[in-house]
Structures are given as C-alpha cells and as structure tokens.
Amino acid sequence: MNDLVFLEPDKIGAEPFTTSDVIAEFTGNNYRSVQRIIEKQIDALKTFGQVRFEITPVAKV
C-alpha cells in the first residue's frame, strides 16, 4: 500500500479518505493504538468531516 489518502473511484465529488490501518502503517504505530486514539478524539476528528467505523476483528498476538 503506497497511498495515504484515497478517493472512491468513479464518484463525482468523491471526498478523500483514509483508514486506521493506513494511519497505523504510515505512522509506525500499532493498529489498535490508532483505533483507541480515534475513539478518544472522535469529536475533534469530526471537525474534519465524517468519521465512520467498520467492525474489524482484533488480531490476537
């Protein structure tokens, strides 16, 4: 994965977006740590636009 921000293909007026997986990879952080930060800062993040969550399984280590 080489892109930090994506656009939905073939959608007029598509808004740029990224995922917590990508944020974790590009910042060198653990995915779960990024998820916790997002959950804690959700109100502040909403000032930048819509925030959606997908339910993903937590990897067991």
Side-chain angles (χ1 to χ4, degrees):
M1 187 176 314
N2 295 324
D3 296 324
L4 177 60
V5 177
F6 307 93
L7 288 173
E8 290 187 64
D10 303 324
K11 284 190 91 175
I12 295 175
E15 297 227 5
F17 71 95
T18 194
T19 66
S20 51
D21 303 19
V22 173
I23 294 170
E25 179 183 339
F26 276 80
T27 61
N29 287 290
N30 174 291
Y31 168 77
R32 186 64 194 130
S33 296
V34 171
Q35 283 291 107
R36 280 192 293 255
I37 292 168
I38 291 170
E39 290 166 5
K40 184 176 179 182
Q41 299 296 327
I42 192 78
D43 290 331
L45 291 168
K46 285 181 180 178
T47 64
F48 294 105
Q50 184 178 13
V51 179
R52 290 186 293 200
F53 280 100
E54 288 184 25
I55 298 173
T56 56
V58 176
K60 295 189 180 197
V61 284

Short mmCIF file of all heavy atoms in Angstrom, two decimals:
data_model
loop_
_atom_site.label_atom_id
_atom_site.label_comp_id
_atom_site.label_asym_id
_atom_site.label_seq_id
_atom_site.Cartn_x
_atom_site.Cartn_y
_atom_site.Cartn_z
N MET A 1 0.86 -1.17 0.00
CA MET A 1 0.00 0.00 0.00
C MET A 1 0.90 1.23 0.00
O MET A 1 1.73 1.40 0.86
CB MET A 1 -0.88 -0.05 1.25
CG MET A 1 -1.90 1.01 1.29
SD MET A 1 -3.03 0.93 2.70
CE MET A 1 -3.49 -0.77 2.78
N ASN A 2 0.71 2.07 -1.00
CA ASN A 2 1.55 3.24 -1.14
C ASN A 2 0.82 4.56 -0.95
O ASN A 2 1.44 5.61 -0.98
CB ASN A 2 2.21 3.26 -2.53
CG ASN A 2 3.16 2.10 -2.70
OD1 ASN A 2 3.84 1.71 -1.76
ND2 ASN A 2 3.22 1.55 -3.89
N ASP A 3 -0.50 4.51 -0.80
CA ASP A 3 -1.28 5.73 -0.70
C ASP A 3 -1.75 5.97 0.73
O ASP A 3 -2.21 5.05 1.40
CB ASP A 3 -2.50 5.67 -1.62
CG ASP A 3 -2.11 5.59 -3.08
OD1 ASP A 3 -1.10 6.24 -3.45
OD2 ASP A 3 -2.80 4.91 -3.84
N LEU A 4 -1.65 7.21 1.17
CA LEU A 4 -2.13 7.59 2.49
C LEU A 4 -3.59 8.02 2.43
O LEU A 4 -4.35 7.80 3.36
CB LEU A 4 -1.26 8.71 3.06
CG LEU A 4 -1.64 9.29 4.41
CD1 LEU A 4 -1.61 8.19 5.48
CD2 LEU A 4 -0.69 10.39 4.81
N VAL A 5 -3.98 8.64 1.32
CA VAL A 5 -5.34 9.14 1.15
C VAL A 5 -5.92 8.57 -0.13
O VAL A 5 -5.22 8.45 -1.13
CB VAL A 5 -5.36 10.68 1.11
CG1 VAL A 5 -6.75 11.22 0.87
CG2 VAL A 5 -4.79 11.25 2.40
N PHE A 6 -7.19 8.22 -0.09
CA PHE A 6 -7.86 7.60 -1.24
C PHE A 6 -9.07 8.42 -1.66
O PHE A 6 -9.60 9.20 -0.89
CB PHE A 6 -8.35 6.20 -0.87
CG PHE A 6 -7.29 5.32 -0.28
CD1 PHE A 6 -7.11 5.25 1.09
CD2 PHE A 6 -6.47 4.58 -1.10
CE1 PHE A 6 -6.13 4.44 1.64
CE2 PHE A 6 -5.48 3.77 -0.56
CZ PHE A 6 -5.31 3.69 0.80
N LEU A 7 -9.53 8.18 -2.88
CA LEU A 7 -10.79 8.71 -3.39
C LEU A 7 -11.60 7.52 -3.89
O LEU A 7 -11.04 6.61 -4.49
CB LEU A 7 -10.57 9.68 -4.54
CG LEU A 7 -9.99 11.04 -4.20
CD1 LEU A 7 -9.68 11.80 -5.49
CD2 LEU A 7 -10.94 11.84 -3.35
N GLU A 8 -12.90 7.55 -3.65
CA GLU A 8 -13.73 6.48 -4.21
C GLU A 8 -13.74 6.64 -5.72
O GLU A 8 -14.08 7.71 -6.23
CB GLU A 8 -15.15 6.57 -3.65
CG GLU A 8 -15.22 6.19 -2.19
CD GLU A 8 -16.65 6.13 -1.70
OE1 GLU A 8 -17.40 5.28 -2.20
OE2 GLU A 8 -16.98 6.94 -0.83
N PRO A 9 -13.36 5.59 -6.44
CA PRO A 9 -13.30 5.71 -7.90
C PRO A 9 -14.68 5.90 -8.52
O PRO A 9 -15.68 5.42 -7.99
CB PRO A 9 -12.68 4.38 -8.34
CG PRO A 9 -12.94 3.44 -7.22
CD PRO A 9 -13.01 4.28 -5.97
N ASP A 10 -14.69 6.60 -9.62
CA ASP A 10 -15.91 6.79 -10.41
C ASP A 10 -17.04 7.48 -9.66
O ASP A 10 -18.21 7.27 -9.96
CB ASP A 10 -16.41 5.45 -10.96
CG ASP A 10 -15.35 4.76 -11.80
OD1 ASP A 10 -14.60 5.46 -12.50
OD2 ASP A 10 -15.28 3.53 -11.75
N LYS A 11 -16.72 8.29 -8.66
CA LYS A 11 -17.76 9.05 -7.96
C LYS A 11 -17.48 10.54 -8.13
O LYS A 11 -16.43 11.02 -7.75
CB LYS A 11 -17.78 8.71 -6.47
CG LYS A 11 -18.44 7.37 -6.17
CD LYS A 11 -18.64 7.20 -4.71
CE LYS A 11 -19.99 7.71 -4.32
NZ LYS A 11 -20.31 7.49 -2.92
N ILE A 12 -18.43 11.22 -8.71
CA ILE A 12 -18.30 12.67 -8.87
C ILE A 12 -18.40 13.30 -7.48
O ILE A 12 -19.27 12.96 -6.69
CB ILE A 12 -19.41 13.22 -9.79
CG1 ILE A 12 -19.20 12.66 -11.19
CG2 ILE A 12 -19.42 14.74 -9.78
CD1 ILE A 12 -20.29 13.03 -12.18
N GLY A 13 -17.49 14.18 -7.17
CA GLY A 13 -17.49 14.83 -5.87
C GLY A 13 -17.00 13.94 -4.74
O GLY A 13 -17.29 14.19 -3.58
N ALA A 14 -16.25 12.89 -5.07
CA ALA A 14 -15.74 11.97 -4.05
C ALA A 14 -14.88 12.72 -3.05
O ALA A 14 -14.09 13.59 -3.40
CB ALA A 14 -14.94 10.85 -4.70
N GLU A 15 -15.06 12.38 -1.79
CA GLU A 15 -14.27 13.00 -0.73
C GLU A 15 -13.06 12.13 -0.43
O GLU A 15 -13.16 10.91 -0.41
CB GLU A 15 -15.12 13.15 0.53
CG GLU A 15 -16.30 14.05 0.31
CD GLU A 15 -16.46 15.08 1.41
OE1 GLU A 15 -15.60 15.14 2.30
OE2 GLU A 15 -17.44 15.81 1.34
N PRO A 16 -11.91 12.75 -0.19
CA PRO A 16 -10.74 11.96 0.17
C PRO A 16 -10.96 11.28 1.52
O PRO A 16 -11.66 11.81 2.39
CB PRO A 16 -9.61 12.98 0.24
CG PRO A 16 -10.27 14.31 0.36
CD PRO A 16 -11.65 14.18 -0.20
N PHE A 17 -10.36 10.10 1.68
CA PHE A 17 -10.48 9.38 2.95
C PHE A 17 -9.24 8.54 3.18
O PHE A 17 -8.44 8.31 2.28
CB PHE A 17 -11.74 8.51 2.98
CG PHE A 17 -11.67 7.31 2.08
CD1 PHE A 17 -11.26 6.08 2.57
CD2 PHE A 17 -12.02 7.41 0.74
CE1 PHE A 17 -11.21 4.97 1.74
CE2 PHE A 17 -11.98 6.31 -0.10
CZ PHE A 17 -11.56 5.08 0.40
N THR A 18 -9.08 8.09 4.41
CA THR A 18 -8.02 7.16 4.76
C THR A 18 -8.60 6.18 5.78
O THR A 18 -9.75 6.30 6.18
CB THR A 18 -6.76 7.88 5.29
OG1 THR A 18 -5.68 6.94 5.32
CG2 THR A 18 -6.97 8.48 6.67
N THR A 19 -7.81 5.21 6.17
CA THR A 19 -8.27 4.20 7.13
C THR A 19 -7.31 4.13 8.31
O THR A 19 -6.15 4.57 8.21
CB THR A 19 -8.35 2.81 6.48
OG1 THR A 19 -7.01 2.38 6.13
CG2 THR A 19 -9.23 2.82 5.24
N SER A 20 -7.78 3.57 9.40
CA SER A 20 -6.92 3.44 10.57
C SER A 20 -5.75 2.50 10.28
O SER A 20 -4.66 2.68 10.83
CB SER A 20 -7.72 2.95 11.78
OG SER A 20 -8.46 1.80 11.46
N ASP A 21 -5.93 1.51 9.41
CA ASP A 21 -4.83 0.62 9.03
C ASP A 21 -3.71 1.42 8.37
O ASP A 21 -2.53 1.22 8.67
CB ASP A 21 -5.28 -0.43 8.00
CG ASP A 21 -6.42 -1.28 8.43
OD1 ASP A 21 -7.14 -0.91 9.37
OD2 ASP A 21 -6.61 -2.34 7.81
N VAL A 22 -4.10 2.31 7.46
CA VAL A 22 -3.13 3.11 6.74
C VAL A 22 -2.43 4.09 7.68
O VAL A 22 -1.21 4.26 7.63
CB VAL A 22 -3.80 3.86 5.57
CG1 VAL A 22 -2.86 4.84 4.90
CG2 VAL A 22 -4.34 2.86 4.55
N ILE A 23 -3.19 4.71 8.56
CA ILE A 23 -2.59 5.63 9.54
C ILE A 23 -1.57 4.89 10.39
O ILE A 23 -0.45 5.38 10.61
CB ILE A 23 -3.67 6.28 10.42
CG1 ILE A 23 -4.56 7.20 9.57
CG2 ILE A 23 -3.03 7.07 11.58
CD1 ILE A 23 -5.80 7.70 10.27
N ALA A 24 -1.92 3.70 10.85
CA ALA A 24 -1.00 2.90 11.67
C ALA A 24 0.27 2.59 10.90
O ALA A 24 1.39 2.75 11.42
CB ALA A 24 -1.68 1.62 12.13
N GLU A 25 0.13 2.16 9.65
CA GLU A 25 1.29 1.81 8.83
C GLU A 25 2.21 3.01 8.60
O GLU A 25 3.42 2.92 8.80
CB GLU A 25 0.84 1.25 7.49
CG GLU A 25 1.99 0.88 6.58
CD GLU A 25 1.53 0.39 5.22
OE1 GLU A 25 0.36 -0.03 5.08
OE2 GLU A 25 2.35 0.46 4.29
N PHE A 26 1.64 4.13 8.21
CA PHE A 26 2.45 5.31 7.87
C PHE A 26 3.03 6.00 9.09
O PHE A 26 4.00 6.74 8.97
CB PHE A 26 1.63 6.30 7.04
CG PHE A 26 1.61 5.97 5.57
CD1 PHE A 26 0.76 5.00 5.08
CD2 PHE A 26 2.46 6.63 4.70
CE1 PHE A 26 0.74 4.69 3.72
CE2 PHE A 26 2.45 6.33 3.34
CZ PHE A 26 1.59 5.35 2.85
N THR A 27 2.44 5.82 10.26
CA THR A 27 2.97 6.45 11.46
C THR A 27 3.82 5.50 12.31
O THR A 27 4.39 5.92 13.32
CB THR A 27 1.84 7.00 12.35
OG1 THR A 27 0.99 5.93 12.76
CG2 THR A 27 1.05 8.07 11.62
N GLY A 28 3.87 4.23 11.88
CA GLY A 28 4.68 3.26 12.63
C GLY A 28 4.06 2.87 13.95
O GLY A 28 4.76 2.47 14.87
N ASN A 29 2.74 3.01 14.05
CA ASN A 29 2.03 2.67 15.28
C ASN A 29 1.25 1.38 15.13
O ASN A 29 0.94 0.95 14.02
CB ASN A 29 1.07 3.79 15.67
CG ASN A 29 1.80 4.99 16.19
OD1 ASN A 29 2.36 4.96 17.27
ND2 ASN A 29 1.82 6.06 15.40
N ASN A 30 0.90 0.81 16.26
CA ASN A 30 0.06 -0.38 16.30
C ASN A 30 -1.36 0.00 15.89
O ASN A 30 -1.87 1.04 16.29
CB ASN A 30 0.11 -0.91 17.74
CG ASN A 30 -0.81 -2.04 18.00
OD1 ASN A 30 -2.03 -1.88 18.00
ND2 ASN A 30 -0.23 -3.20 18.24
N TYR A 31 -2.01 -0.87 15.12
CA TYR A 31 -3.37 -0.61 14.65
C TYR A 31 -4.32 -0.34 15.82
O TYR A 31 -5.11 0.59 15.78
CB TYR A 31 -3.87 -1.80 13.82
CG TYR A 31 -5.34 -1.76 13.53
CD1 TYR A 31 -5.84 -0.92 12.55
CD2 TYR A 31 -6.23 -2.54 14.25
CE1 TYR A 31 -7.20 -0.86 12.28
CE2 TYR A 31 -7.58 -2.49 13.99
CZ TYR A 31 -8.06 -1.65 13.00
OH TYR A 31 -9.40 -1.59 12.75
N ARG A 32 -4.26 -1.15 16.84
CA ARG A 32 -5.17 -0.99 17.99
C ARG A 32 -4.92 0.35 18.70
O ARG A 32 -5.86 0.99 19.16
CB ARG A 32 -5.03 -2.16 18.96
CG ARG A 32 -6.01 -2.13 20.08
CD ARG A 32 -7.45 -2.27 19.57
NE ARG A 32 -8.38 -1.91 20.64
CZ ARG A 32 -9.38 -1.06 20.52
NH1 ARG A 32 -9.64 -0.50 19.37
NH2 ARG A 32 -10.14 -0.77 21.53
N SER A 33 -3.69 0.79 18.77
CA SER A 33 -3.39 2.08 19.39
C SER A 33 -4.03 3.22 18.60
O SER A 33 -4.58 4.15 19.19
CB SER A 33 -1.87 2.31 19.45
OG SER A 33 -1.27 1.35 20.28
N VAL A 34 -3.98 3.12 17.28
CA VAL A 34 -4.60 4.13 16.43
C VAL A 34 -6.11 4.13 16.65
O VAL A 34 -6.73 5.18 16.77
CB VAL A 34 -4.24 3.91 14.95
CG1 VAL A 34 -5.04 4.82 14.04
CG2 VAL A 34 -2.75 4.12 14.73
N GLN A 35 -6.71 2.95 16.73
CA GLN A 35 -8.15 2.84 16.98
C GLN A 35 -8.53 3.52 18.29
O GLN A 35 -9.53 4.24 18.36
CB GLN A 35 -8.59 1.37 17.02
CG GLN A 35 -8.69 0.73 15.67
CD GLN A 35 -9.84 1.29 14.87
OE1 GLN A 35 -9.60 2.03 13.93
NE2 GLN A 35 -11.03 0.95 15.20
N ARG A 36 -7.75 3.30 19.34
CA ARG A 36 -8.05 3.91 20.64
C ARG A 36 -7.96 5.43 20.57
O ARG A 36 -8.78 6.14 21.15
CB ARG A 36 -7.12 3.36 21.71
CG ARG A 36 -7.55 2.00 22.22
CD ARG A 36 -6.77 1.63 23.46
NE ARG A 36 -5.37 1.42 23.16
CZ ARG A 36 -4.77 0.23 23.07
NH1 ARG A 36 -5.46 -0.86 23.28
NH2 ARG A 36 -3.50 0.14 22.79
N ILE A 37 -6.96 5.94 19.86
CA ILE A 37 -6.82 7.39 19.71
C ILE A 37 -8.02 7.96 18.96
O ILE A 37 -8.57 8.99 19.35
CB ILE A 37 -5.50 7.75 19.00
CG1 ILE A 37 -4.31 7.41 19.90
CG2 ILE A 37 -5.48 9.23 18.59
CD1 ILE A 37 -2.97 7.46 19.19
N ILE A 38 -8.44 7.28 17.90
CA ILE A 38 -9.60 7.74 17.14
C ILE A 38 -10.83 7.77 18.03
O ILE A 38 -11.59 8.74 18.04
CB ILE A 38 -9.83 6.84 15.90
CG1 ILE A 38 -8.70 7.05 14.88
CG2 ILE A 38 -11.20 7.13 15.27
CD1 ILE A 38 -8.70 6.04 13.75
N GLU A 39 -11.04 6.70 18.78
CA GLU A 39 -12.21 6.64 19.67
C GLU A 39 -12.18 7.76 20.71
O GLU A 39 -13.21 8.37 21.00
CB GLU A 39 -12.27 5.27 20.35
CG GLU A 39 -12.62 4.15 19.39
CD GLU A 39 -12.36 2.76 19.96
OE1 GLU A 39 -12.00 2.64 21.15
OE2 GLU A 39 -12.52 1.80 19.19
N LYS A 40 -11.00 8.04 21.23
CA LYS A 40 -10.87 9.08 22.26
C LYS A 40 -11.05 10.48 21.67
O LYS A 40 -11.60 11.36 22.33
CB LYS A 40 -9.48 8.97 22.91
CG LYS A 40 -9.27 9.92 24.04
CD LYS A 40 -7.92 9.69 24.69
CE LYS A 40 -7.69 10.67 25.81
NZ LYS A 40 -6.39 10.51 26.43
N GLN A 41 -10.62 10.68 20.44
CA GLN A 41 -10.63 12.01 19.82
C GLN A 41 -11.73 12.18 18.78
O GLN A 41 -11.67 13.10 17.96
CB GLN A 41 -9.26 12.27 19.17
CG GLN A 41 -8.10 12.24 20.13
CD GLN A 41 -8.18 13.34 21.16
OE1 GLN A 41 -8.67 14.43 20.90
NE2 GLN A 41 -7.68 13.07 22.36
N ILE A 42 -12.74 11.33 18.82
CA ILE A 42 -13.77 11.32 17.79
C ILE A 42 -14.42 12.68 17.55
O ILE A 42 -14.61 13.09 16.41
CB ILE A 42 -14.84 10.23 18.07
CG1 ILE A 42 -15.72 10.02 16.83
CG2 ILE A 42 -15.68 10.55 19.26
CD1 ILE A 42 -15.08 9.21 15.77
N ASP A 43 -14.74 13.40 18.60
CA ASP A 43 -15.38 14.71 18.42
C ASP A 43 -14.47 15.70 17.70
O ASP A 43 -14.92 16.43 16.82
CB ASP A 43 -15.84 15.28 19.76
CG ASP A 43 -17.01 14.49 20.34
OD1 ASP A 43 -17.80 13.91 19.55
OD2 ASP A 43 -17.14 14.45 21.58
N ALA A 44 -13.21 15.72 18.06
CA ALA A 44 -12.26 16.62 17.40
C ALA A 44 -12.07 16.22 15.93
O ALA A 44 -11.99 17.07 15.05
CB ALA A 44 -10.92 16.61 18.12
N LEU A 45 -12.02 14.93 15.66
CA LEU A 45 -11.83 14.45 14.29
C LEU A 45 -13.03 14.77 13.40
O LEU A 45 -12.87 15.01 12.20
CB LEU A 45 -11.57 12.95 14.29
CG LEU A 45 -10.22 12.52 14.87
CD1 LEU A 45 -10.17 11.02 15.08
CD2 LEU A 45 -9.09 12.98 13.97
N LYS A 46 -14.21 14.82 13.98
CA LYS A 46 -15.41 15.12 13.20
C LYS A 46 -15.38 16.53 12.62
O LYS A 46 -16.09 16.80 11.66
CB LYS A 46 -16.66 14.90 14.04
CG LYS A 46 -16.99 13.44 14.23
CD LYS A 46 -18.24 13.27 15.06
CE LYS A 46 -18.55 11.80 15.25
NZ LYS A 46 -19.74 11.61 16.09
N THR A 47 -14.56 17.41 13.16
CA THR A 47 -14.46 18.76 12.60
C THR A 47 -13.85 18.73 11.19
O THR A 47 -14.01 19.65 10.42
CB THR A 47 -13.64 19.72 13.49
OG1 THR A 47 -12.29 19.24 13.56
CG2 THR A 47 -14.24 19.82 14.88
N PHE A 48 -13.14 17.63 10.86
CA PHE A 48 -12.53 17.48 9.54
C PHE A 48 -13.46 16.80 8.55
O PHE A 48 -13.18 16.74 7.37
CB PHE A 48 -11.24 16.66 9.64
CG PHE A 48 -10.17 17.35 10.42
CD1 PHE A 48 -9.87 16.95 11.71
CD2 PHE A 48 -9.47 18.42 9.87
CE1 PHE A 48 -8.87 17.58 12.44
CE2 PHE A 48 -8.48 19.06 10.59
CZ PHE A 48 -8.19 18.65 11.88
N GLY A 49 -14.58 16.25 9.02
CA GLY A 49 -15.51 15.57 8.13
C GLY A 49 -16.10 14.35 8.80
O GLY A 49 -15.92 14.12 9.99
N GLN A 50 -16.76 13.54 8.00
CA GLN A 50 -17.44 12.35 8.50
C GLN A 50 -16.43 11.32 9.00
O GLN A 50 -15.38 11.11 8.39
CB GLN A 50 -18.28 11.73 7.39
CG GLN A 50 -19.08 10.55 7.84
CD GLN A 50 -19.95 10.00 6.72
OE1 GLN A 50 -19.79 10.35 5.57
NE2 GLN A 50 -20.87 9.15 7.07
N VAL A 51 -16.74 10.68 10.11
CA VAL A 51 -15.92 9.61 10.67
C VAL A 51 -16.77 8.36 10.71
O VAL A 51 -17.84 8.35 11.31
CB VAL A 51 -15.41 9.95 12.09
CG1 VAL A 51 -14.57 8.80 12.65
CG2 VAL A 51 -14.60 11.24 12.07
N ARG A 52 -16.31 7.32 10.04
CA ARG A 52 -17.04 6.04 10.04
C ARG A 52 -16.16 4.97 10.63
O ARG A 52 -14.95 4.98 10.49
CB ARG A 52 -17.40 5.63 8.61
CG ARG A 52 -18.44 6.50 7.99
CD ARG A 52 -18.85 5.94 6.67
NE ARG A 52 -17.71 6.04 5.75
CZ ARG A 52 -17.80 5.99 4.44
NH1 ARG A 52 -18.96 5.80 3.88
NH2 ARG A 52 -16.75 6.12 3.69
N PHE A 53 -16.81 4.02 11.28
CA PHE A 53 -16.09 2.88 11.82
C PHE A 53 -16.60 1.61 11.18
O PHE A 53 -17.80 1.46 10.95
CB PHE A 53 -16.30 2.76 13.34
CG PHE A 53 -15.45 3.67 14.13
CD1 PHE A 53 -15.98 4.86 14.63
CD2 PHE A 53 -14.14 3.38 14.39
CE1 PHE A 53 -15.20 5.73 15.37
CE2 PHE A 53 -13.36 4.23 15.13
CZ PHE A 53 -13.89 5.41 15.63
N GLU A 54 -15.69 0.72 10.88
CA GLU A 54 -16.06 -0.62 10.45
C GLU A 54 -15.65 -1.56 11.56
O GLU A 54 -14.60 -1.38 12.18
CB GLU A 54 -15.31 -1.00 9.17
CG GLU A 54 -15.79 -0.28 7.94
CD GLU A 54 -15.10 -0.78 6.69
OE1 GLU A 54 -14.62 -1.93 6.68
OE2 GLU A 54 -15.03 -0.01 5.75
N ILE A 55 -16.46 -2.55 11.78
CA ILE A 55 -16.12 -3.54 12.80
C ILE A 55 -15.11 -4.50 12.18
O ILE A 55 -15.37 -5.12 11.16
CB ILE A 55 -17.38 -4.29 13.27
CG1 ILE A 55 -18.34 -3.31 13.93
CG2 ILE A 55 -16.99 -5.43 14.21
CD1 ILE A 55 -19.67 -3.90 14.29
N THR A 56 -13.94 -4.55 12.80
CA THR A 56 -12.90 -5.44 12.32
C THR A 56 -12.41 -6.31 13.47
O THR A 56 -12.38 -5.84 14.61
CB THR A 56 -11.70 -4.65 11.75
OG1 THR A 56 -11.22 -3.77 12.75
CG2 THR A 56 -12.09 -3.85 10.52
N PRO A 57 -12.06 -7.53 13.18
CA PRO A 57 -11.57 -8.38 14.25
C PRO A 57 -10.23 -7.87 14.79
O PRO A 57 -9.41 -7.36 14.01
CB PRO A 57 -11.41 -9.75 13.59
CG PRO A 57 -11.33 -9.47 12.14
CD PRO A 57 -12.06 -8.19 11.90
N VAL A 58 -10.02 -7.98 16.07
CA VAL A 58 -8.77 -7.59 16.69
C VAL A 58 -7.82 -8.76 16.56
O VAL A 58 -8.16 -9.89 16.95
CB VAL A 58 -8.98 -7.19 18.16
CG1 VAL A 58 -7.63 -6.88 18.82
CG2 VAL A 58 -9.92 -6.01 18.26
N ALA A 59 -6.64 -8.52 16.01
CA ALA A 59 -5.65 -9.59 15.85
C ALA A 59 -5.14 -10.04 17.21
O ALA A 59 -4.83 -9.21 18.07
CB ALA A 59 -4.51 -9.10 14.97
N LYS A 60 -5.09 -11.33 17.39
CA LYS A 60 -4.57 -11.86 18.65
C LYS A 60 -3.09 -12.11 18.49
O LYS A 60 -2.64 -12.65 17.49
CB LYS A 60 -5.29 -13.15 19.01
CG LYS A 60 -6.75 -12.90 19.28
CD LYS A 60 -7.43 -14.11 19.84
CE LYS A 60 -8.88 -13.75 20.06
NZ LYS A 60 -9.55 -14.63 20.92
N VAL A 61 -2.33 -11.69 19.50
CA VAL A 61 -0.87 -11.87 19.45
C VAL A 61 -0.41 -12.84 20.50
O VAL A 61 -1.04 -13.16 21.43
CB VAL A 61 -0.12 -10.53 19.62
CG1 VAL A 61 -0.19 -9.75 18.36
CG2 VAL A 61 -0.66 -9.75 20.79
#
